[in-house]
Amino acid sequence: MKDIIDTIILIMFVIMVAMFIINFNRQQIKKHTDKIEENEKTNNSNKDKIDE
């Protein structure tokens, strides 16, 4: 019985760690894509100023 409970707790722990890593990666990806979009906007506005 103790072996079954230990196995269940271990599986739950592994799932929690995996979810944390997945969510952290999503957060980082969103942060970097937002930064890239912001850089593209500033670059486009700078190109528009140069063209004028």
Side-chain angles (χ1 to χ4, degrees):
M1 185 69 183
K2 185 178 183 307
D3 292 339
I4 296 171
I5 293 174
D6 287 346
T7 306
I8 292 172
I9 290 173
L10 180 65
I11 290 170
M12 288 174 59
F13 177 74
V14 169
I15 290 172
M16 286 175 57
V17 170
M19 294 300 288
F20 173 78
I21 292 171
I22 290 168
N23 287 330
F24 184 76
N25 283 340
R26 282 187 190 154
Q27 233 176 16
Q28 293 299 101
I29 289 169
K30 183 174 179 348
K31 187 172 99 174
H32 287 288
T33 53
D34 290 347
K35 187 180 271 190
I36 289 171
E37 287 175 2
E38 182 180 321
N39 286 342
E40 286 177 352
K41 285 180 185 176
T42 56
N43 286 341
N44 288 340
S45 65
N46 288 342
K47 286 180 183 178
D48 292 342
K49 288 179 183 176
I50 292 172
D51 290 343
E52 292 175 355

